[in-house]
Amino acid sequence: MDHEIRSLSSTPVSTQEITLAEYLFQRLNQVGCNTVFGLPGDFNLKLIDKIGNVPNMKWCGNANELNASYAADGYARIRKIGVICTTFGVGEMSSLNGIAGSFAEHVGVLHVVGTPTISTQLKKLLVHHTLGNGDFNVFHRIYSEITSYHVMLQDIDLAPLEIDKCIVSCILNQKPCYLGFPANLSDITVPKNLLNIPLNFSSPISINKIETERDIIQSIISLIMSSKNPIILADGTCNRHDNIFKSIHDLIRLTKFPVFVTPMGKGSIDEQYPRFGGVYVGSMSSPEVKEFVENSDLILAIGSILSDFSTSSFHYSYKTKNVVEFHIDYVKIKNARFPDLNVKSILSKLLSSLNNLIKDGKFKYNASKKLVPQPPKSKSNLLETSVLRQEWIWDQLTNWLREGDIIIAETGTSAFGIMQTRFPNHCLGISQVLWGASGYSLGACLGALFAQRDDLEVDKLRKYKRCIVFIGDGSLQFTVQEVSTMLKWNFHPYIFVMNNHGYTIDRILHDSTVHEPTYHDVHPWNLQGLLTLFGGVVEPEEDQLNTENQALSKALNGPIYNPQNNTIKWPTTPVGPNCKNYRVELVGEFSKMVNNPAFSVPDKLRLIEVILPTMDAPNNLIRHVRTMQQKKGSVCSSTASTPATTSTVNSTIHSSTHNNGML
Amino acid sequence: MDHEIRSLSSTPVSTQEITLAEYLFQRLNQVGCNTVFGLPGDFNLKLIDKIGNVPNMKWCGNANELNASYAADGYARIRKIGVICTTFGVGEMSSLNGIAGSFAEHVGVLHVVGTPTISTQLKKLLVHHTLGNGDFNVFHRIYSEITSYHVMLQDIDLAPLEIDKCIVSCILNQKPCYLGFPANLSDITVPKNLLNIPLNFSSPISINKIETERDIIQSIISLIMSSKNPIILADGTCNRHDNIFKSIHDLIRLTKFPVFVTPMGKGSIDEQYPRFGGVYVGSMSSPEVKEFVENSDLILAIGSILSDFSTSSFHYSYKTKNVVEFHIDYVKIKNARFPDLNVKSILSKLLSSLNNLIKDGKFKYNASKKLVPQPPKSKSNLLETSVLRQEWIWDQLTNWLREGDIIIAETGTSAFGIMQTRFPNHCLGISQVLWGASGYSLGACLGALFAQRDDLEVDKLRKYKRCIVFIGDGSLQFTVQEVSTMLKWNFHPYIFVMNNHGYTIDRILHDSTVHEPTYHDVHPWNLQGLLTLFGGVVEPEEDQLNTENQALSKALNGPIYNPQNNTIKWPTTPVGPNCKNYRVELVGEFSKMVNNPAFSVPDKLRLIEVILPTMDAPNNLIRHVRTMQQKKGSVCSSTASTPATTSTVNSTIHSSTHNNGML
């Protein structure tokens, strides 16, 4: 109330003042966040009104809030911060699952919620989108459970500082933040020169930490010096923090240690690097990778997200005594935990110590001593007329992918498949390995497309060039309407729909007591009608005779620059076809499609329906299920299928754990 | 852990035992809840496996969890309890907005969440769908904010009791409940004869309450006796509780007082009843209704949900001194609140007292003394070749609707429009008046269709016959995939898509500082392709020559009874067309469509695209906006459109309140 009254008597606005809403978007623009995802609603319209006043900022406008939160997450995985703006109550509750995912997966998403005015909140008025009980704090309380920083703006003098805090926290901690923005504050002004104060990303280290750091570096150096077969294991946050990303690459160059990635780290290391050994997934790894990693006498696990690798479905079988874990804010050496550290500082000091040792000739690692596991040669030689199999497809993709691709794999068989595909260099992999929300990948793909385009606005030689998503037909149904937003913005992703008529991952992992359960099936869709429904202008079936170059020049004709207001406008209504349908069922059809050079050029949105047998799955998944079945067989010899006998209760409990894992 | 170990040594199963999962579904079956909404996921598959073991129970299988929660809500509004079953983490977080809506709107939805096993939770193992921090209680904590009862099952001996408590609480309190169901408990058995103990729906009243009740009845009777122009106002929970529904109808019959409904109560009173006066929405009511209600000297507000009718956008201007509010668990007479009461008991005693007074000739109300407001005669006489207008359409619908229709109106212009449509008797109105989540109506429609069909299984003369939903093109995009589930189950709703190219309600209510803002627009869809995409077999354009009777006999050919397992199966793959597209843009087209008798027979799913001018809206909404503009004009004479001058900050705050209301 006070603030509202005070604001009425605030000094007249000059060019030295900007509205608080503009302050927010200016700050976001400063950190390279140029797209705001979300939907309009009663309480955030005044916020959205201000986006257009800030150069380079744009409003995406999604089909629903959950999809918007996935898009903000996908965007943040590339540009280190993403933003979603929703309305109070209904909007923020609909997007909660996406923000919880960003929390689990360490992604810096800022959720700006337009709320009722402060006076409405204080008077506990009955308004739309509340629970009707006068409790205006309930949604904020809920978000406090899944954000690293959360605030409801109240005092206009503190508001710019709180906005800064949220943005810095997103980027520094790579965790979501919650910013409640009362409708009456949007138009209140603050001094414009506050924007000149740089955001403070430093994390001060106290004196005693410097000593701890020195001890840690010494311990790690001595472990490295005495190790015979050390490896580097890149985990989830390597991709999230530029500094860690740089450090791990410096460390690899310097030491030439073999390097592996976890499923969450896949895509953070150039996979064509000769010392790259593959993906380590504990007992689910390929036999060669498993042996190599678990026989190592020193694992430098960098960018670790999870401190305890004991899951109910598989185990990371290396010995704790051989591991140094570099988390974002602590280091764990063997069993000792050193909290409250800045891992970027540790890594940079470790690099400098190692560098000196190498210069002084005190440390030498024979890189050629032990060859890293090589990707298994494709064993699946299928006839042109064979029906498609995932094992064969994921192998083929290794050849079709290009440098600069963003590759997004949906939870399910695709997340397993992608692990066996070796990426070209400078690719980015996105998969929600831990949280695993179905449908996430399609929303994340929209976010990645915007991040890619925003990169282009900054740099003509954009880092990422294509965006490719693999999603099952079951998962597609969760978030399908976001294809409409891709068409609205004239984006050109590759959407591979792996159509196996339902939730095949559950079919394979769940040992049902029901004969032929139907709940894994989904209602079959006529996917060839999808692009038309969502307003796409579909290119006809006939093969285009475009050469790669012709297609490429078309692709680059997209954006229209407006020098008057310094923005880029993308044509929202394409003059010609802007998308195309593909449907492949046979090996020959798939080969012909991917071997056509024109297909590889991202000049239109492509929806590729890949028809697969219902129970087909990548080899690593099938191997995992076989191992689990063997284990189960050895634990209880009687596997009667009628439920609820003593022995079956036993077997049931065991089987109940086998799909509770991190995959 | 204890429970799991104990369960391994539990007594051998006999026919006297059933699994805990079956116990749950048997109990739900007992209370007339025969459809389980939701999606399969890692931790609820063992639960879903058991649904088929219980006669009459079926698994719906939705396209995503948010839609499933809306469906459970729609189902519960008809059958007093609905159930949704999701997996842990991702599933329950995706459906949160729906459950929060059920809380706000007083709807008895049971949310069953399949969670990791108890031992996984106790060991804090790293599993899929967690936040990765070992906190397995966070989702339960979040749900505790929006449920009236919540429990995570742990002890098998207490589990049946806890399940009973959840079911009873849903029905009795008409609020959602949360039931966490660890995967290891699904197959553990409990004594079958527990099912013979009737669920306890009684709410005991202590002795001192009996005295309070007597005082209350006396006060109300004396108010009634001295009142010159009393009215009855039916609010939200009249439809939720059978007892209140019955009592209010008895009261109307007995007293013949004029009766009005609030927007949340619309559909609870037969609107063809001669003493029915219309919908009262405070300052947004029609002038006749406003005058009648606000000049009443005694308002008996029954089934009240909201205790304080002061909103930021409009006011209920009747005097508190004239109101008796009957809430579900308390009564408010003028300013005095009498808590912890059973309103059903109060109402039944009030009825009996009134009855005695009438018998004794002590109370007589002259019903014909004052005529209730009549529905305004349609003023919109449009030419056959005119483009359609909402004002005209909502008037027309009064003629097209039939007894037994379920009419669902989406938040937005449809929710306003439906207020001016007078329903036939025995109709049910559904609209999320307070919570107002966009896209809700389509999910709720699916739930209503199942409730309708489950009614049919019980009673061939089913109460409700058709299901009709009105949704905007913008709102449709939120939940569109649920049309697929309707087609999967071969349902025959009428889906009217009011296509005005975006969020017209926001366009009208929000006084944007931006010239022609585009964020209210949605990407245009080719709706004529929707049914084909979602697997429908679309009937060709040509008018069918079916007579009403022929069509009706086709409509009733739906379900196939299977006597072997006592279930009803509905054809999932229709032999012929099961749906049809309509697109109307002109008055004549609309008239021709609704006047064709075949159109009125629910023998296929109908998608009717109604093309409307972008800024067209029902009269009550436009009247409201005009009032707000007049108010605003009188408060601040200067309405400069440049933001952030002192006077504009003033005007901004005022205008910021006008769309924060309960609309």
Side-chain angles (χ1 to χ4, degrees):
Chain A
M1 277 296 280
D2 276 344
H3 308 303
E4 281 176 35
I5 291 163
R6 191 156 52 75
S7 71
L8 296 179
S9 60
S10 66
T11 50
V13 179
S14 72
T15 52
Q16 301 310 308
E17 299 264 309
I18 53 168
T19 63
L20 190 64
E22 280 167 282
Y23 180 86
L24 166 67
F25 297 119
Q26 287 280 8
R27 277 302 202 195
L28 286 168
N29 186 32
Q30 285 181 354
V31 295
C33 180
N34 304 116
T35 306
V36 183
F37 299 96
L39 281 100
D42 304 37
F43 303 112
N44 70 349
L45 297 175
K46 285 176 168 286
L47 273 167
I48 303 172
D49 274 341
K50 298 297 180 296
I51 295 176
N53 297 355
V54 177
N56 302 320
M57 290 299 289
K58 62 194 158 308
W59 171 248
C60 166
N62 296 83
N64 69 33
E65 283 95 352
L66 181 59
N67 298 358
S69 66
Y70 293 157
D73 181 295
Y75 189 94
R77 284 178 195 242
I78 297 167
R79 294 178 76 83
K80 314 305 173 202
I81 181 167
V83 62
I84 170 175
C85 180
T86 67
T87 194
F88 184 70
V90 286
E92 53 184 322
M93 291 296 97
S94 291
S95 49
L96 194 85
N97 187 58
I99 306 297
S102 301
F103 187 86
E105 301 253 329
H106 291 238
V107 182
V109 171
L110 175 61
H111 190 164
V112 183
V113 179
T115 75
T117 63
I118 294 170
S119 77
T120 299
Q121 295 191 39
L122 290 177
K123 288 182 201 155
K124 301 192 175 191
L125 294 184
L126 174 66
V127 295
H128 210 190
H129 307 333
T130 66
L131 297 179
N133 57 5
D135 184 353
F136 283 82
N137 300 322
V138 55
F139 311 122
H140 184 182
R141 282 202 304 279
I142 287 176
Y143 266 92
S144 72
E145 297 278 3
I146 54 158
T147 48
S148 68
Y149 189 74
H150 47 90
V151 61
M152 177 71 71
L153 296 182
Q154 295 194 47
D155 187 324
I156 187 70
D157 289 335
L158 295 177
L161 188 69
E162 290 289 4
I163 288 171
D164 291 359
K165 265 189 181 170
C166 284
I167 292 172
V168 168
S169 174
C170 280
I171 295 173
L172 214 54
N173 303 318
Q174 288 297 306
K175 287 268 184 179
C177 293
Y178 178 93
L179 175 64
F181 207 125
N184 59 303
L185 293 187
S186 290
D187 289 328
I188 307 292
T189 61
V190 295
K192 193 175 182 177
N193 58 16
L194 288 175
L195 287 171
N196 301 333
I197 304 169
L199 294 170
N200 181 6
F201 290 102
S202 68
S203 56
I205 295 187
S206 60
I207 299 297
N208 63 336
K209 287 299 170 193
I210 289 175
E211 203 168 310
T212 313
E213 278 193 354
R214 201 168 44 219
D215 292 352
I216 288 170
I217 305 289
Q218 276 181 0
S219 301
I220 299 173
I221 290 284
S222 87
L223 284 171
I224 290 177
M225 299 288 278
S226 62
S227 165
K228 293 211 163 49
N229 45 2
I231 66 158
I232 293 168
L233 183 66
D235 202 355
T237 59
C238 290
N239 255 331
R240 305 280 193 280
H241 299 274
D242 280 339
N243 290 341
I244 299 186
F245 183 81
K246 193 179 166 301
S247 295
I248 192 170
H249 282 84
D250 288 345
L251 191 68
I252 293 167
R253 253 193 307 275
L254 198 64
T255 62
K256 300 193 176 53
F257 291 168
V259 58
F260 294 81
V261 293
T262 66
M264 279 180 111
K266 182 165 169 74
S268 57
I269 304 296
D270 280 350
E271 303 193 358
Q272 303 300 318
Y273 171 64
R275 305 291 290 160
F276 177 75
V279 186
Y280 178 70
V281 209
S283 52
M284 295 178 68
S285 317
S286 77
E288 301 78 21
V289 169
K290 188 175 185 317
E291 195 199 332
F292 199 103
V293 171
E294 293 176 5
N295 286 330
S296 161
D297 61 355
L298 177 64
I299 296 172
L300 301 171
I302 297 176
S304 297
I305 283 187
L306 309 160
S307 63
D308 186 342
F309 288 103
S310 171
T311 81
S312 60
S313 78
F314 65 89
H315 294 270
Y316 279 16
S317 315
Y318 50 67
K319 305 287 185 296
T320 306
K321 70 176 168 59
N322 298 335
V323 183
V324 180
E325 287 175 15
F326 297 83
H327 293 255
I328 180 70
D329 55 356
Y330 72 96
V331 172
K332 196 175 158 197
I333 303 180
K334 298 179 174 182
N335 285 310
R337 198 178 157 123
F338 302 88
D340 303 323
L341 292 169
N342 180 347
V343 74
K344 296 166 198 168
S345 158
I346 303 266
L347 279 171
S348 112
K349 284 174 187 162
L350 177 66
L351 279 165
S352 125
S353 298
L354 274 176
N355 216 1
N356 290 338
L357 287 170
I358 290 169
K359 264 197 223 145
D360 300 349
K362 288 184 184 159
F363 172 67
K364 205 166 161 41
Y365 169 72
N366 186 351
S368 60
K369 202 174 57 180
K370 192 169 179 187
L371 290 173
V372 297
Q374 290 305 300
K377 290 274 171 273
S378 172
K379 280 160 260 167
S380 48
N381 248 333
L382 294 180
L383 290 174
E384 295 272 294
T385 51
S386 303
V387 295
L388 283 162
R389 295 259 165 201
Q390 294 218 24
E391 187 62 16
W392 181 87
I393 292 172
W394 298 111
D395 274 351
Q396 292 300 307
L397 287 169
T398 299
N399 304 321
W400 181 69
L401 295 176
R402 297 279 179 276
E403 284 202 7
D405 282 348
I406 297 173
I407 302 137
I408 307 169
E410 177 67 34
T411 302
T413 54
S414 296
F416 280 85
I418 207 72
M419 283 195 238
Q420 76 181 68
T421 302
R422 196 150 282 203
F423 291 171
N425 289 340
H426 309 302
C427 283
L428 178 72
I430 295 180
S431 187
Q432 228 188 20
V433 174
L434 174 63
W435 188 241
S438 297
Y440 161 81
S441 65
L442 200 67
C445 178
L446 176 71
L449 288 160
F450 268 107
Q452 217 173 30
R453 187 172 285 177
D454 290 351
D455 267 349
L456 174 63
E457 294 185 16
V458 177
D459 175 8
K460 291 280 170 196
L461 296 166
R462 55 178 164 170
K463 196 170 157 195
Y464 297 115
K465 294 175 186 73
R466 303 191 302 185
C467 200
I468 302 149
V469 60
F470 299 95
I471 186 168
D473 59 320
S475 296
L476 177 74
Q477 298 200 353
F478 283 71
T479 49
V480 65
Q481 51 273 84
E482 226 49 44
V483 175
S484 154
T485 314
M486 295 177 190
L487 288 163
K488 175 171 86 172
W489 285 91
N490 202 20
F491 280 120
H492 301 155
Y494 294 79
I495 305 171
F496 286 88
V497 180
M498 313 303 272
N499 188 349
N500 43 27
H501 188 42
Y503 317 117
T504 289
I505 186 109
D506 286 340
R507 284 191 186 112
I508 290 174
L509 289 175
H510 176 56
D511 188 16
S512 178
T513 52
V514 176
H515 180 63
E516 294 184 9
T518 55
Y519 52 76
H520 300 307
D521 306 339
V522 298
H523 190 54
W525 288 5
N526 300 314
L527 285 179
Q528 304 302 301
L530 190 149
L531 298 174
T532 307
L533 168 63
F534 293 144
V537 182
V538 182
E539 192 172 295
E541 269 296 313
E542 298 78 49
D543 274 346
Q544 299 292 307
L545 292 173
N546 282 328
T547 65
E548 190 158 355
N549 280 346
Q550 282 174 333
L552 193 62
S553 71
K554 255 176 68 188
L556 292 176
N557 276 338
I560 299 159
Y561 289 85
N562 182 348
Q564 285 193 310
N565 58 3
N566 189 28
T567 56
I568 291 178
K569 201 177 169 186
W570 293 76
T572 51
T573 320
V575 281
N578 61 348
C579 55
K580 190 169 177 180
N581 285 306
Y582 298 79
R583 188 173 189 278
V584 287
E585 196 162 357
L586 303 178
V587 164
E589 291 170 350
F590 190 95
S591 297
K592 192 181 161 205
M593 175 180 74
V594 294
N595 292 330
N596 180 348
F599 179 80
S600 296
V601 181
D603 59 350
K604 57 181 78 74
L605 184 150
R606 286 179 166 88
L607 183 77
I608 306 116
E609 184 179 9
V610 181
I611 308 291
L612 294 164
T614 305
M615 291 301 282
D616 179 50
N619 268 359
N620 50 359
L621 177 55
I622 289 167
R623 200 166 50 228
H624 170 63
V625 172
R626 277 203 205 111
T627 316
M628 291 311 305
Q629 281 166 347
Q630 280 162 7
K631 267 196 197 167
K632 193 179 144 191
S634 70
V635 169
C636 46
S637 52
S638 153
T639 50
S641 65
T642 50
T645 63
T646 308
S647 72
T648 324
V649 169
N650 193 346
S651 87
T652 306
I653 287 170
H654 282 275
S655 71
S656 84
T657 62
H658 85 240
N659 60 341
N660 297 346
M662 198 188 67
L663 291 169
Chain B
M1 276 290 283
D2 276 342
H3 310 303
E4 280 173 39
I5 291 165
R6 191 156 54 72
S7 72
L8 297 178
S9 60
S10 67
T11 51
V13 179
S14 71
T15 51
Q16 301 309 307
E17 299 263 306
I18 53 168
T19 63
L20 190 63
E22 281 166 281
Y23 180 85
L24 165 66
F25 298 120
Q26 287 280 7
R27 277 302 202 193
L28 285 168
N29 186 32
Q30 286 181 353
V31 295
C33 179
N34 303 116
T35 305
V36 183
F37 299 96
L39 281 99
D42 303 37
F43 303 111
N44 69 349
L45 297 175
K46 285 174 168 288
L47 272 168
I48 303 172
D49 275 340
K50 298 296 179 296
I51 295 175
N53 297 356
V54 177
N56 301 319
M57 289 300 288
K58 62 193 159 309
W59 171 247
C60 165
N62 295 83
N64 69 32
E65 281 94 353
L66 181 58
N67 298 358
S69 65
Y70 292 157
D73 181 295
Y75 189 94
R77 285 178 194 240
I78 297 167
R79 294 177 76 82
K80 313 305 172 202
I81 180 167
V83 62
I84 170 174
C85 180
T86 68
T87 194
F88 185 70
V90 286
E92 52 184 323
M93 291 296 97
S94 292
S95 47
L96 195 85
N97 187 59
I99 306 298
S102 301
F103 187 86
E105 301 253 330
H106 291 239
V107 183
V109 171
L110 175 61
H111 190 166
V112 183
V113 179
T115 76
T117 63
I118 294 169
S119 78
T120 299
Q121 295 192 39
L122 291 177
K123 288 182 201 156
K124 301 192 174 193
L125 292 184
L126 174 64
V127 295
H128 210 190
H129 307 335
T130 66
L131 297 179
N133 57 3
D135 183 353
F136 283 82
N137 300 322
V138 55
F139 310 122
H140 184 181
R141 282 201 304 279
I142 287 175
Y143 266 93
S144 71
E145 297 277 4
I146 53 158
T147 48
S148 69
Y149 189 73
H150 48 90
V151 62
M152 176 73 69
L153 296 182
Q154 295 195 48
D155 185 324
I156 187 71
D157 289 335
L158 296 177
L161 188 69
E162 290 289 4
I163 289 171
D164 291 358
K165 263 187 180 172
C166 285
I167 293 172
V168 168
S169 174
C170 280
I171 295 173
L172 215 51
N173 302 319
Q174 287 297 306
K175 286 269 184 178
C177 293
Y178 178 92
L179 176 64
F181 206 124
N184 60 303
L185 293 187
S186 291
D187 289 328
I188 307 293
T189 61
V190 295
K192 192 173 180 177
N193 58 17
L194 288 175
L195 288 170
N196 300 333
I197 304 169
L199 294 169
N200 181 6
F201 290 102
S202 67
S203 56
I205 295 187
S206 59
I207 300 297
N208 64 335
K209 288 297 170 193
I210 290 176
E211 204 167 311
T212 313
E213 278 193 354
R214 200 168 44 218
D215 290 352
I216 289 170
I217 306 290
Q218 275 180 1
S219 302
I220 300 173
I221 291 282
S222 86
L223 284 171
I224 290 178
M225 299 285 281
S226 62
S227 166
K228 294 212 161 50
N229 44 3
I231 66 158
I232 293 169
L233 182 65
D235 201 355
T237 58
C238 290
N239 256 330
R240 307 281 192 280
H241 299 273
D242 281 340
N243 289 341
I244 299 186
F245 183 82
K246 194 179 164 301
S247 294
I248 191 171
H249 282 84
D250 288 346
L251 191 66
I252 293 166
R253 254 192 306 274
L254 198 64
T255 62
K256 299 191 176 55
F257 289 169
V259 57
F260 294 82
V261 293
T262 67
M264 280 180 110
K266 180 163 170 76
S268 57
I269 303 297
D270 281 349
E271 302 192 357
Q272 302 302 319
Y273 171 67
R275 304 291 288 162
F276 176 76
V279 186
Y280 177 70
V281 210
S283 52
M284 296 179 68
S285 317
S286 77
E288 301 78 21
V289 169
K290 189 173 184 314
E291 195 199 332
F292 199 104
V293 171
E294 293 174 5
N295 286 329
S296 161
D297 62 354
L298 177 64
I299 297 172
L300 301 172
I302 299 178
S304 297
I305 283 187
L306 309 159
S307 63
D308 187 344
F309 289 102
S310 170
T311 83
S312 60
S313 78
F314 64 89
H315 293 270
Y316 278 18
S317 316
Y318 49 66
K319 304 287 185 296
T320 308
K321 69 176 169 59
N322 298 337
V323 182
V324 179
E325 288 176 16
F326 297 83
H327 293 255
I328 181 70
D329 55 356
Y330 72 96
V331 171
K332 197 173 160 200
I333 302 180
K334 298 178 174 183
N335 286 310
R337 198 178 157 124
F338 303 87
D340 304 323
L341 291 168
N342 180 347
V343 74
K344 297 166 198 168
S345 157
I346 303 265
L347 280 171
S348 109
K349 284 174 187 160
L350 176 64
L351 279 164
S352 122
S353 298
L354 274 176
N355 216 359
N356 289 338
L357 286 170
I358 290 168
K359 264 197 224 144
D360 299 349
K362 289 182 185 160
F363 171 67
K364 208 166 160 38
Y365 168 72
N366 187 352
S368 60
K369 198 175 59 181
K370 192 170 179 186
L371 289 174
V372 296
Q374 288 307 297
K377 289 275 170 271
S378 172
K379 277 160 259 163
S380 47
N381 248 334
L382 295 179
L383 289 175
E384 294 273 295
T385 51
S386 305
V387 294
L388 284 162
R389 296 261 164 198
Q390 294 218 26
E391 187 62 16
W392 182 86
I393 292 172
W394 297 111
D395 274 351
Q396 292 301 307
L397 287 168
T398 298
N399 304 322
W400 181 70
L401 295 176
R402 297 280 178 276
E403 284 204 6
D405 283 348
I406 298 172
I407 302 138
I408 306 169
E410 177 67 35
T411 301
T413 52
S414 296
F416 281 84
I418 207 70
M419 283 195 239
Q420 77 182 66
T421 302
R422 195 149 283 202
F423 292 171
N425 289 341
H426 309 303
C427 284
L428 178 71
I430 295 180
S431 186
Q432 228 187 20
V433 174
L434 173 63
W435 188 240
S438 297
Y440 161 81
S441 64
L442 200 66
C445 178
L446 177 71
L449 287 161
F450 269 106
Q452 215 173 32
R453 189 173 284 179
D454 291 351
D455 267 350
L456 174 63
E457 293 184 18
V458 178
D459 176 9
K460 291 280 169 197
L461 295 165
R462 54 180 166 172
K463 196 170 157 196
Y464 297 115
K465 295 175 186 71
R466 304 191 302 185
C467 199
I468 301 149
V469 60
F470 299 95
I471 186 168
D473 59 322
S475 296
L476 177 75
Q477 299 201 354
F478 283 70
T479 49
V480 65
Q481 52 273 81
E482 226 49 44
V483 175
S484 156
T485 313
M486 294 177 190
L487 288 164
K488 174 171 87 170
W489 285 92
N490 202 20
F491 280 120
H492 301 155
Y494 294 78
I495 305 172
F496 285 87
V497 180
M498 313 303 273
N499 188 350
N500 42 26
H501 188 43
Y503 315 117
T504 288
I505 185 113
D506 287 340
R507 285 192 187 111
I508 290 174
L509 289 176
H510 176 55
D511 187 16
S512 179
T513 52
V514 177
H515 179 63
E516 292 185 12
T518 56
Y519 53 76
H520 300 309
D521 304 340
V522 299
H523 190 55
W525 287 5
N526 299 314
L527 285 179
Q528 304 302 300
L530 188 149
L531 298 175
T532 307
L533 167 64
F534 293 144
V537 181
V538 182
E539 192 173 295
E541 269 294 315
E542 299 77 49
D543 272 348
Q544 299 292 309
L545 293 172
N546 282 328
T547 65
E548 188 159 357
N549 279 344
Q550 280 173 333
L552 193 62
S553 72
K554 255 174 69 187
L556 292 175
N557 275 339
I560 300 160
Y561 289 83
N562 182 347
Q564 284 192 311
N565 57 4
N566 189 27
T567 56
I568 292 177
K569 203 178 168 185
W570 292 77
T572 52
T573 321
V575 282
N578 61 349
C579 53
K580 190 169 178 180
N581 285 307
Y582 299 79
R583 189 175 188 277
V584 287
E585 197 163 355
L586 303 178
V587 164
E589 290 170 350
F590 191 94
S591 296
K592 191 180 162 206
M593 176 180 74
V594 294
N595 291 332
N596 180 348
F599 179 81
S600 296
V601 181
D603 57 351
K604 58 181 80 73
L605 185 150
R606 286 180 167 86
L607 182 77
I608 305 115
E609 184 179 9
V610 181
I611 309 291
L612 294 164
T614 304
M615 291 299 283
D616 178 51
N619 268 0
N620 48 359
L621 178 55
I622 290 166
R623 197 165 52 226
H624 170 62
V625 173
R626 276 202 206 115
T627 315
M628 291 312 304
Q629 281 166 346
Q630 281 163 3
K631 266 194 199 170
K632 196 180 143 192
S634 70
V635 169
C636 45
S637 52
S638 151
T639 50
S641 65
T642 50
T645 64
T646 308
S647 72
T648 325
V649 170
N650 192 344
S651 88
T652 307
I653 288 171
H654 282 278
S655 72
S656 84
T657 60
H658 86 239
N659 60 338
N660 297 347
M662 196 188 71
L663 301 170

